[in-house]
Coordinates of all heavy atoms in Angstrom, one line a residue:
M1 N -8.5 -13.2 3.0 CA -9.2 -12.4 2.1 C -8.2 -11.9 1.0 O -7.1 -11.4 1.4 CB -9.8 -11.2 2.8 CG -10.6 -10.2 1.9 SD -11.2 -8.7 2.7 CE -12.5 -9.3 3.7
D2 N -8.5 -12.0 -0.2 CA -7.7 -11.5 -1.3 C -7.4 -10.0 -1.2 O -8.2 -9.2 -0.7 CB -8.4 -11.9 -2.6 CG -7.5 -11.5 -3.8 OD1 -6.6 -12.3 -4.2 OD2 -7.8 -10.4 -4.4
S3 N -6.2 -9.6 -1.7 CA -5.8 -8.2 -1.7 C -6.9 -7.3 -2.3 O -7.1 -6.2 -1.8 CB -4.5 -8.0 -2.4 OG -3.4 -8.6 -1.8
Q4 N -7.4 -7.7 -3.5 CA -8.4 -6.9 -4.1 C -9.7 -6.6 -3.2 O -10.2 -5.6 -3.2 CB -8.8 -7.4 -5.5 CG -7.6 -7.6 -6.4 CD -6.7 -6.4 -6.5 OE1 -7.2 -5.2 -6.6 NE2 -5.4 -6.6 -6.5
C5 N -10.1 -7.6 -2.5 CA -11.2 -7.5 -1.6 C -10.9 -6.5 -0.5 O -11.7 -5.7 0.0 CB -11.6 -8.8 -1.0 SG -12.3 -10.0 -2.2
K6 N -9.6 -6.5 0.0 CA -9.2 -5.6 1.0 C -9.2 -4.2 0.5 O -9.7 -3.2 1.2 CB -7.8 -6.0 1.5 CG -7.8 -7.3 2.3 CD -6.4 -7.8 2.6 CE -6.4 -9.2 3.1 NZ -5.1 -9.8 3.2
Y7 N -8.7 -4.0 -0.7 CA -8.8 -2.6 -1.3 C -10.3 -2.2 -1.5 O -10.6 -1.0 -1.2 CB -8.2 -2.7 -2.7 CG -6.7 -2.5 -2.7 CD1 -5.9 -3.6 -3.1 CD2 -6.1 -1.3 -2.4 CE1 -4.5 -3.4 -3.1 CE2 -4.7 -1.1 -2.4 CZ -3.9 -2.2 -2.8 OH -2.5 -2.0 -2.9
A8 N -11.1 -3.1 -1.9 CA -12.5 -2.8 -2.1 C -13.2 -2.4 -0.7 O -14.0 -1.5 -0.7 CB -13.3 -3.9 -2.7
A9 N -12.8 -3.1 0.3 CA -13.4 -2.8 1.7 C -13.0 -1.4 2.1 O -13.8 -0.6 2.6 CB -12.9 -3.8 2.7
V10 N -11.8 -1.0 1.8 CA -11.4 0.4 2.1 C -12.1 1.4 1.2 O -12.6 2.4 1.7 CB -9.8 0.6 2.0 CG1 -9.4 2.0 2.2 CG2 -9.1 -0.3 3.0
A11 N -12.2 1.1 0.0 CA -12.8 2.0 -1.0 C -14.3 2.2 -0.6 O -14.9 3.3 -0.7 CB -12.7 1.5 -2.4
R12 N -15.0 1.2 -0.1 CA -16.4 1.3 0.2 C -16.6 1.9 1.6 O -17.7 2.2 2.0 CB -17.0 -0.1 0.3 CG -17.3 -0.8 -1.0 CD -17.7 -2.2 -0.7 NE -18.7 -2.3 0.4 CZ -19.9 -2.9 0.3 NH1 -20.3 -3.4 -0.8 NH2 -20.6 -2.9 1.4
G13 N -15.6 2.1 2.4 CA -15.7 2.6 3.7 C -16.0 1.5 4.8 O -16.3 1.8 5.9
D14 N -15.8 0.3 4.4 CA -16.0 -0.8 5.3 C -14.8 -1.1 6.2 O -14.8 -1.8 7.2 CB -16.4 -2.1 4.6 CG -17.8 -2.0 3.9 OD1 -18.6 -1.2 4.4 OD2 -18.0 -2.8 2.9
A15 N -13.7 -0.6 5.7 CA -12.4 -0.6 6.5 C -11.7 0.7 6.3 O -12.0 1.5 5.4 CB -11.5 -1.8 5.9
D16 N -10.8 1.0 7.3 CA -10.2 2.3 7.2 C -8.8 2.3 6.6 O -8.3 3.2 5.9 CB -10.0 2.9 8.6 CG -11.3 3.2 9.3 OD1 -12.2 3.7 8.6 OD2 -11.5 2.8 10.5
I17 N -8.1 1.1 6.7 CA -6.7 1.0 6.3 C -6.4 -0.4 5.8 O -6.9 -1.4 6.3 CB -5.8 1.2 7.5 CG1 -6.0 2.6 8.2 CG2 -4.3 1.1 7.1 CD1 -5.4 2.7 9.6
Y18 N -5.6 -0.4 4.7 CA -5.0 -1.7 4.2 C -3.5 -1.5 4.2 O -3.0 -0.6 3.6 CB -5.6 -2.0 2.8 CG -4.9 -3.2 2.2 CD1 -4.6 -4.3 2.9 CD2 -4.6 -3.1 0.8 CE1 -4.0 -5.4 2.3 CE2 -4.0 -4.2 0.2 CZ -3.7 -5.3 0.9 OH -3.1 -6.4 0.3
L19 N -2.9 -2.4 5.0 CA -1.4 -2.3 5.1 C -0.8 -3.6 4.6 O -1.3 -4.7 4.9 CB -1.0 -2.1 6.6 CG -1.4 -0.9 7.3 CD1 -1.0 -1.0 8.7 CD2 -0.8 0.4 6.6
R20 N 0.3 -3.4 3.8 CA 1.2 -4.6 3.5 C 2.6 -4.1 3.9 O 3.3 -3.5 3.1 CB 1.1 -4.9 2.0 CG -0.2 -5.4 1.5 CD -0.3 -6.8 1.7 NE 0.7 -7.5 1.0 CZ 0.7 -8.8 0.7 NH1 -0.4 -9.5 1.0 NH2 1.7 -9.4 0.1
L21 N 2.9 -4.4 5.1 CA 4.2 -4.0 5.6 C 5.3 -5.0 5.2 O 5.0 -6.2 5.1 CB 4.2 -3.9 7.2 CG 3.1 -2.9 7.7 CD1 3.1 -2.9 9.2 CD2 3.3 -1.5 7.2
P22 N 6.5 -4.5 4.9 CA 7.6 -5.3 4.5 C 7.9 -6.4 5.5 O 7.9 -6.1 6.7 CB 8.8 -4.4 4.3 CG 8.2 -3.0 4.4 CD 6.9 -3.1 5.1
V23 N 8.0 -7.6 5.0 CA 8.4 -8.8 5.9 C 9.9 -9.0 6.0 O 10.3 -9.7 6.8 CB 7.6 -10.0 5.5 CG1 6.1 -9.9 5.6 CG2 7.9 -10.4 4.1
S24 N 10.6 -8.5 5.0 CA 12.1 -8.6 5.0 C 12.6 -7.5 4.1 O 11.9 -6.8 3.3 CB 12.5 -10.0 4.5 OG 12.3 -10.1 3.1
E25 N 13.9 -7.4 4.1 CA 14.6 -6.4 3.2 C 14.5 -6.8 1.8 O 14.5 -5.9 0.9 CB 16.1 -6.4 3.6 CG 16.4 -5.7 4.9 CD 16.9 -4.3 4.7 OE1 17.2 -3.9 3.6 OE2 16.9 -3.6 5.7
T26 N 14.3 -8.1 1.5 CA 14.4 -8.5 0.1 C 13.0 -8.7 -0.5 O 12.9 -8.9 -1.8 CB 15.2 -9.8 -0.1 OG1 14.6 -10.8 0.8 CG2 16.6 -9.6 0.3
Y27 N 11.9 -8.8 0.3 CA 10.6 -9.1 -0.3 C 10.1 -7.9 -1.1 O 10.2 -6.7 -0.7 CB 9.6 -9.4 0.8 CG 8.2 -9.7 0.2 CD1 8.0 -10.9 -0.3 CD2 7.2 -8.7 0.2 CE1 6.8 -11.2 -0.9 CE2 6.0 -9.0 -0.4 CZ 5.8 -10.3 -0.9 OH 4.6 -10.5 -1.5
V28 N 9.6 -8.2 -2.3 CA 9.1 -7.2 -3.2 C 7.6 -7.5 -3.6 O 7.3 -8.7 -4.0 CB 9.9 -7.1 -4.5 CG1 9.4 -6.0 -5.4 CG2 11.4 -6.8 -4.1
E29 N 6.7 -6.6 -3.5 CA 5.3 -6.8 -3.8 C 5.2 -7.0 -5.3 O 5.9 -6.5 -6.1 CB 4.4 -5.6 -3.4 CG 4.4 -5.4 -1.9 CD 3.6 -6.4 -1.2 OE1 2.8 -7.1 -1.8 OE2 3.8 -6.5 0.1
K30 N 4.2 -7.8 -5.7 CA 3.9 -8.0 -7.1 C 2.8 -7.1 -7.6 O 1.9 -6.8 -6.9 CB 3.4 -9.5 -7.4 CG 4.3 -10.6 -6.7 CD 5.7 -10.5 -7.2 CE 6.5 -11.7 -6.7 NZ 7.0 -11.5 -5.3
I31 N 3.0 -6.6 -8.9 CA 2.0 -5.6 -9.4 C 0.6 -6.1 -9.5 O -0.3 -5.4 -9.3 CB 2.5 -5.0 -10.7 CG1 2.5 -6.1 -11.8 CG2 3.8 -4.3 -10.6 CD1 2.7 -5.5 -13.2
W32 N 0.4 -7.4 -9.8 CA -0.9 -8.0 -9.9 C -1.7 -8.0 -8.6 O -2.9 -8.1 -8.6 CB -0.9 -9.4 -10.6 CG 0.0 -10.3 -9.9 CD1 -0.2 -11.1 -8.8 CD2 1.3 -10.6 -10.3 NE1 0.9 -11.8 -8.5 CE2 1.9 -11.6 -9.4 CE3 2.1 -10.2 -11.4 CZ2 3.1 -12.1 -9.5 CZ3 3.4 -10.8 -11.5 CH2 3.9 -11.7 -10.6
D33 N -1.0 -7.9 -7.5 CA -1.7 -7.8 -6.2 C -2.2 -6.4 -5.9 O -3.0 -6.2 -4.9 CB -0.8 -8.3 -5.1 CG -0.5 -9.8 -5.1 OD1 -1.4 -10.5 -5.5 OD2 0.6 -10.2 -4.7
H34 N -1.7 -5.4 -6.6 CA -2.0 -4.0 -6.2 C -2.5 -3.1 -7.3 O -3.0 -2.0 -7.0 CB -0.8 -3.4 -5.6 CG -0.3 -4.3 -4.4 ND1 -1.0 -4.2 -3.2 CD2 0.7 -5.2 -4.3 CE1 -0.4 -5.1 -2.4 NE2 0.6 -5.7 -3.0
G35 N -2.4 -3.5 -8.6 CA -2.7 -2.6 -9.7 C -4.2 -2.2 -9.7 O -4.5 -1.0 -9.6
A36 N -5.1 -3.1 -9.7 CA -6.5 -2.7 -9.7 C -7.0 -2.1 -8.4 O -7.7 -1.1 -8.4 CB -7.4 -4.0 -9.9
G37 N -6.4 -2.6 -7.3 CA -6.8 -2.0 -6.0 C -6.4 -0.5 -5.9 O -7.1 0.3 -5.3
N38 N -5.2 -0.2 -6.4 CA -4.7 1.2 -6.4 C -5.7 2.1 -7.2 O -6.0 3.2 -6.7 CB -3.3 1.2 -7.1 CG -2.7 2.5 -7.2 OD1 -2.5 3.2 -6.2 ND2 -2.4 3.0 -8.4
V39 N -6.2 1.6 -8.3 CA -7.1 2.4 -9.1 C -8.5 2.6 -8.3 O -9.0 3.7 -8.2 CB -7.4 1.8 -10.4 CG1 -8.5 2.5 -11.2 CG2 -6.1 1.8 -11.3
I40 N -8.9 1.5 -7.7 CA -10.2 1.5 -7.0 C -10.1 2.5 -5.8 O -11.1 3.3 -5.6 CB -10.6 0.1 -6.5 CG1 -11.0 -0.8 -7.7 CG2 -11.7 0.2 -5.5 CD1 -11.0 -2.2 -7.4
I41 N -9.1 2.5 -5.0 CA -8.9 3.4 -3.9 C -8.9 4.8 -4.4 O -9.5 5.7 -3.8 CB -7.6 3.0 -3.1 CG1 -7.8 1.7 -2.4 CG2 -7.3 4.2 -2.1 CD1 -8.7 1.7 -1.2
R42 N -8.1 5.1 -5.4 CA -7.9 6.5 -5.9 C -9.2 7.0 -6.4 O -9.5 8.2 -6.2 CB -6.8 6.5 -6.9 CG -5.4 6.2 -6.2 CD -4.3 6.1 -7.2 NE -4.3 7.3 -8.0 CZ -3.3 7.9 -8.6 NH1 -2.1 7.4 -8.3 NH2 -3.4 8.9 -9.4
E43 N -9.9 6.2 -7.2 CA -11.2 6.6 -7.7 C -12.3 6.9 -6.6 O -13.1 7.7 -6.8 CB -11.8 5.6 -8.7 CG -11.0 5.5 -10.0 CD -11.1 6.8 -10.8 OE1 -12.2 7.4 -10.9 OE2 -10.1 7.2 -11.3
A44 N -12.1 6.2 -5.5 CA -13.0 6.4 -4.3 C -12.6 7.6 -3.5 O -13.2 7.9 -2.5 CB -13.1 5.2 -3.5
G45 N -11.5 8.3 -3.9 CA -11.0 9.4 -3.1 C -9.9 9.1 -2.1 O -9.5 10.0 -1.3
G46 N -9.5 7.9 -2.0 CA -8.4 7.5 -1.1 C -7.0 7.7 -1.7 O -6.9 8.2 -2.8
R47 N -6.1 7.3 -0.9 CA -4.7 7.4 -1.3 C -4.0 6.0 -1.1 O -4.3 5.3 -0.2 CB -3.9 8.5 -0.6 CG -4.5 9.9 -0.9 CD -3.9 11.0 -0.1 NE -2.5 11.0 -0.2 CZ -1.7 11.8 0.7 NH1 -2.3 12.5 1.6 NH2 -0.4 11.8 0.6
V48 N -3.0 5.8 -2.0 CA -2.2 4.6 -1.9 C -0.7 5.0 -2.1 O -0.4 5.7 -3.0 CB -2.6 3.5 -3.0 CG1 -1.7 2.3 -2.8 CG2 -4.1 3.2 -2.9
S49 N 0.2 4.4 -1.3 CA 1.6 4.6 -1.5 C 2.4 3.5 -0.9 O 1.8 2.5 -0.4 CB 2.0 5.9 -0.8 OG 2.1 5.8 0.6
D50 N 3.7 3.6 -0.9 CA 4.5 2.7 -0.1 C 4.6 3.2 1.3 O 4.0 4.2 1.6 CB 5.8 2.4 -0.8 CG 6.8 3.5 -0.8 OD1 6.5 4.6 -0.2 OD2 7.9 3.4 -1.4
I51 N 5.4 2.6 2.1 CA 5.6 3.0 3.5 C 6.3 4.3 3.7 O 6.2 4.9 4.7 CB 6.3 1.9 4.4 CG1 7.7 1.7 3.9 CG2 5.4 0.6 4.4 CD1 8.5 0.8 4.8
H52 N 6.9 4.8 2.6 CA 7.6 6.1 2.7 C 6.7 7.2 2.1 O 7.2 8.3 2.0 CB 8.9 6.0 1.9 CG 9.8 4.9 2.4 ND1 10.4 5.0 3.7 CD2 10.2 3.7 1.9 CE1 11.1 3.9 3.9 NE2 11.0 3.1 2.8
G53 N 5.5 6.9 1.7 CA 4.6 7.9 1.1 C 4.8 8.1 -0.4 O 4.2 9.0 -1.0
K54 N 5.7 7.2 -1.1 CA 5.9 7.3 -2.5 C 4.8 6.6 -3.2 O 4.4 5.5 -2.8 CB 7.2 6.7 -2.9 CG 8.5 7.4 -2.4 CD 9.8 6.7 -2.7 CE 9.7 5.6 -3.7 NZ 11.0 4.9 -3.9
P55 N 4.3 7.2 -4.3 CA 3.3 6.5 -5.1 C 3.8 5.1 -5.6 O 5.0 5.0 -5.9 CB 3.0 7.4 -6.3 CG 3.5 8.7 -5.9 CD 4.6 8.5 -4.9
L56 N 2.9 4.2 -5.8 CA 3.4 2.9 -6.3 C 3.8 3.0 -7.8 O 3.1 3.7 -8.5 CB 2.3 1.8 -6.2 CG 1.7 1.6 -4.8 CD1 0.7 0.5 -4.8 CD2 2.9 1.3 -3.8
D57 N 4.9 2.5 -8.1 CA 5.5 2.6 -9.4 C 5.3 1.3 -10.2 O 6.0 0.3 -10.0 CB 7.0 2.9 -9.4 CG 7.6 3.2 -10.7 OD1 7.0 3.0 -11.8 OD2 8.7 3.7 -10.7
F58 N 4.3 1.3 -11.1 CA 4.0 0.1 -11.9 C 4.7 0.0 -13.2 O 4.5 -0.8 -14.0 CB 2.4 0.1 -12.2 CG 1.6 -0.1 -10.9 CD1 1.1 1.0 -10.3 CD2 1.4 -1.3 -10.4 CE1 0.3 0.9 -9.1 CE2 0.6 -1.5 -9.2 CZ 0.1 -0.4 -8.6
S59 N 5.7 0.9 -13.4 CA 6.4 1.0 -14.7 C 7.6 0.2 -14.8 O 8.2 0.1 -15.9 CB 6.7 2.5 -15.0 OG 7.8 2.9 -14.1
I60 N 8.0 -0.5 -13.8 CA 9.3 -1.2 -13.7 C 9.3 -2.6 -14.2 O 10.2 -3.1 -14.7 CB 9.9 -1.1 -12.3 CG1 10.2 0.3 -11.9 CG2 11.2 -1.9 -12.2 CD1 10.6 0.6 -10.5
G61 N 8.1 -3.2 -14.1 CA 8.0 -4.6 -14.5 C 7.0 -5.3 -13.7 O 6.0 -4.8 -13.3
R62 N 7.3 -6.6 -13.3 CA 6.3 -7.4 -12.6 C 6.2 -7.2 -11.1 O 5.4 -7.7 -10.5 CB 6.7 -8.9 -12.9 CG 6.6 -9.2 -14.4 CD 7.2 -10.5 -14.7 NE 6.3 -11.6 -14.2 CZ 6.3 -12.8 -14.6 NH1 7.3 -13.2 -15.5 NH2 5.5 -13.7 -14.2
T63 N 7.2 -6.4 -10.6 CA 7.2 -6.1 -9.2 C 7.2 -4.6 -8.9 O 7.5 -3.8 -9.8 CB 8.4 -6.8 -8.5 OG1 9.6 -6.1 -9.0 CG2 8.5 -8.3 -8.8
L64 N 6.9 -4.3 -7.7 CA 7.0 -2.9 -7.2 C 8.4 -2.7 -6.6 O 8.5 -2.3 -5.4 CB 5.9 -2.6 -6.2 CG 4.4 -2.7 -6.8 CD1 3.4 -2.6 -5.7 CD2 4.2 -1.6 -7.8
S65 N 9.4 -3.0 -7.4 CA 10.8 -2.9 -6.8 C 11.2 -1.5 -6.4 O 12.2 -1.4 -5.6 CB 11.8 -3.5 -7.8 OG 11.7 -2.8 -9.0
A66 N 10.6 -0.5 -6.8 CA 10.9 0.9 -6.4 C 10.2 1.3 -5.1 O 10.4 2.3 -4.6 CB 10.6 1.9 -7.5
N67 N 9.4 0.4 -4.6 CA 8.6 0.6 -3.4 C 8.8 -0.4 -2.3 O 9.3 -1.5 -2.6 CB 7.1 0.6 -3.8 CG 6.7 1.6 -4.8 OD1 6.4 1.3 -5.9 ND2 6.7 2.9 -4.5
K68 N 8.5 0.0 -1.1 CA 8.6 -0.9 0.0 C 7.3 -0.9 0.7 O 6.9 0.1 1.3 CB 9.7 -0.4 0.9 CG 10.4 -1.5 1.8 CD 10.9 -2.6 1.0 CE 12.1 -3.3 1.5 NZ 12.4 -4.6 0.9
G69 N 6.6 -2.0 0.7 CA 5.3 -2.2 1.4 C 4.2 -1.4 0.6 O 4.5 -0.7 -0.4
V70 N 3.0 -1.4 1.2 CA 1.9 -0.7 0.6 C 1.0 -0.2 1.7 O 0.7 -0.9 2.7 CB 1.0 -1.6 -0.3 CG1 -0.2 -0.9 -0.8 CG2 1.9 -2.2 -1.5
V71 N 0.5 1.0 1.6 CA -0.4 1.7 2.5 C -1.5 2.2 1.7 O -1.3 3.0 0.8 CB 0.3 2.8 3.4 CG1 -0.7 3.5 4.3 CG2 1.5 2.3 4.1
A72 N -2.8 1.8 2.1 CA -4.0 2.4 1.4 C -4.9 2.9 2.5 O -5.1 2.1 3.5 CB -4.6 1.3 0.6
A73 N -5.5 4.0 2.4 CA -6.4 4.6 3.4 C -7.2 5.7 2.7 O -6.8 6.3 1.7 CB -5.6 5.1 4.6
S74 N -8.2 6.1 3.4 CA -9.0 7.3 3.0 C -8.1 8.5 3.1 O -7.2 8.6 3.9 CB -10.3 7.5 3.8 OG -10.0 7.6 5.1
A75 N -8.3 9.5 2.3 CA -7.5 10.7 2.2 C -7.4 11.4 3.5 O -6.3 11.9 3.8 CB -7.9 11.6 1.1
H76 N -8.4 11.5 4.3 CA -8.4 12.3 5.5 C -7.6 11.7 6.6 O -7.2 12.4 7.5 CB -9.8 12.6 5.9 CG -10.6 11.5 6.5 ND1 -11.2 10.5 5.8 CD2 -10.8 11.2 7.8 CE1 -11.8 9.7 6.6 NE2 -11.6 10.0 7.8
I77 N -7.2 10.4 6.6 CA -6.4 9.8 7.6 C -5.0 9.4 7.1 O -4.2 8.9 7.8 CB -7.1 8.7 8.3 CG1 -7.4 7.5 7.4 CG2 -8.3 9.2 9.0 CD1 -7.8 6.2 8.1
F78 N -4.9 9.5 5.8 CA -3.7 8.9 5.1 C -2.4 9.4 5.7 O -1.5 8.6 6.0 CB -3.7 9.1 3.6 CG -2.6 8.5 2.9 CD1 -2.7 7.1 2.5 CD2 -1.4 9.1 2.6 CE1 -1.7 6.5 1.8 CE2 -0.4 8.5 1.9 CZ -0.5 7.2 1.6
D79 N -2.2 10.7 5.9 CA -0.9 11.2 6.4 C -0.7 10.7 7.8 O 0.5 10.4 8.1 CB -1.0 12.8 6.4 CG -0.9 13.3 4.9 OD1 -0.4 12.6 4.0 OD2 -1.4 14.4 4.7
D80 N -1.7 10.6 8.6 CA -1.5 10.1 10.0 C -1.1 8.6 9.9 O -0.3 8.1 10.7 CB -2.8 10.2 10.8 CG -3.1 11.7 11.1 OD1 -2.2 12.5 11.2 OD2 -4.3 12.0 11.3
V81 N -1.7 7.8 9.0 CA -1.3 6.4 8.9 C 0.1 6.3 8.4 O 0.9 5.5 9.0 CB -2.3 5.7 7.9 CG1 -1.8 4.3 7.6 CG2 -3.7 5.7 8.4
I82 N 0.6 7.0 7.5 CA 2.0 7.0 7.0 C 2.9 7.3 8.2 O 3.9 6.6 8.4 CB 2.2 7.9 5.8 CG1 1.6 7.4 4.6 CG2 3.7 8.2 5.6 CD1 2.2 6.2 4.0
K83 N 2.6 8.3 8.9 CA 3.4 8.7 10.1 C 3.5 7.6 11.1 O 4.6 7.2 11.6 CB 2.8 10.0 10.7 CG 3.7 10.5 11.9 CD 3.1 11.7 12.5 CE 3.8 12.1 13.7 NZ 3.2 13.2 14.4
A84 N 2.4 7.0 11.4 CA 2.3 5.9 12.4 C 3.1 4.7 11.8 O 3.9 4.0 12.6 CB 0.9 5.4 12.7
V85 N 3.0 4.4 10.6 CA 3.8 3.2 10.0 C 5.3 3.5 10.1 O 6.1 2.7 10.5 CB 3.3 3.0 8.5 CG1 4.3 2.1 7.8 CG2 1.9 2.4 8.5
Q86 N 5.7 4.7 9.7 CA 7.1 5.1 9.7 C 7.6 5.0 11.2 O 8.7 4.5 11.4 CB 7.3 6.4 9.1 CG 7.1 6.4 7.6 CD 7.1 7.8 6.9 OE1 7.1 8.8 7.6 NE2 7.2 7.8 5.6
E87 N 6.9 5.5 12.1 CA 7.3 5.5 13.5 C 7.4 4.0 14.0 O 8.4 3.7 14.7 CB 6.4 6.2 14.4 CG 6.4 7.7 14.2 CD 5.4 8.5 15.0 OE1 4.5 7.9 15.6 OE2 5.4 9.7 14.9
T88 N 6.5 3.2 13.6 CA 6.5 1.8 14.0 C 7.7 1.0 13.4 O 8.3 0.2 14.1 CB 5.2 1.1 13.6 OG1 4.1 1.8 14.2 CG2 5.1 -0.3 14.0
L89 N 8.0 1.3 12.2 CA 9.0 0.5 11.5 C 10.4 1.2 11.6 O 11.4 0.6 11.1 CB 8.7 0.4 10.0 CG 7.4 -0.4 9.7 CD1 7.2 -0.4 8.2 CD2 7.6 -1.8 10.2
A90 N 10.5 2.3 12.2 CA 11.8 3.0 12.4 C 12.9 2.0 12.9 O 12.7 1.4 14.0 CB 11.7 4.2 13.2
G91 N 13.9 1.9 12.2 CA 15.1 1.0 12.6 C 14.9 -0.5 12.4 O 15.8 -1.2 12.7
K92 N 13.7 -0.9 11.9 CA 13.5 -2.3 11.7 C 13.8 -2.8 10.3 O 14.1 -4.0 10.1 CB 12.0 -2.6 12.0 CG 11.7 -2.4 13.5 CD 10.3 -2.8 13.8 CE 10.1 -2.5 15.3 NZ 8.8 -2.7 15.7
L93 N 13.8 -1.9 9.3 CA 14.1 -2.3 7.9 C 15.0 -1.3 7.3 O 15.0 -0.2 7.5 CB 12.9 -2.5 7.1 CG 12.0 -3.7 7.4 CD1 10.7 -3.7 6.6 CD2 12.7 -5.0 7.2

């Protein structure tokens, strides 16, 4: 399933979480995979950030080089999801 469809599923309430966890220290997400989805989630009342809880920074160029990974979820569970992601990845990257 394409990234935009995953974002739409979360925005519609058909899914709770969309995660793009880092696969390596050097991998960087591309803006075209997350730009529209970021807007859709936020307009639906959800939240999107990287694995550290930082908003995605689309101002740098073609990649999200200031961010590591992507987390999208409804606002009421977002903080718990970020905490779980950080606990899971602790010491791995």
Side-chain angles (χ1 to χ4, degrees):
M1 182 186 290
D2 182 80
S3 293
Q4 300 312 315
C5 292
K6 294 171 188 171
Y7 277 111
V10 173
R12 285 176 40 128
D14 293 335
D16 295 317
I17 303 165
Y18 172 40
L19 298 176
R20 292 279 300 201
L21 302 180
V23 295
S24 73
E25 289 258 347
T26 58
Y27 181 77
V28 181
E29 297 288 343
K30 310 300 185 282
I31 63 169
W32 50 82
D33 289 329
H34 303 285
N38 181 57
V39 173
I40 290 167
I41 292 287
R42 292 173 52 148
E43 288 295 316
R47 293 174 58 191
V48 181
S49 76
D50 70 3
I51 61 170
H52 303 292
K54 292 178 12 186
L56 301 183
D57 185 350
F58 295 96
S59 70
I60 297 173
R62 299 168 74 162
T63 66
L64 295 171
S65 60
N67 300 108
K68 207 50 146 165
V70 176
V71 176
S74 60
H76 72 280
I77 65 168
F78 185 84
D79 291 334
D80 292 332
V81 173
I82 287 290
K83 182 180 176 187
V85 166
Q86 290 173 348
E87 289 172 359
T88 300
L89 295 178
K92 294 184 181 173
L93 290 176

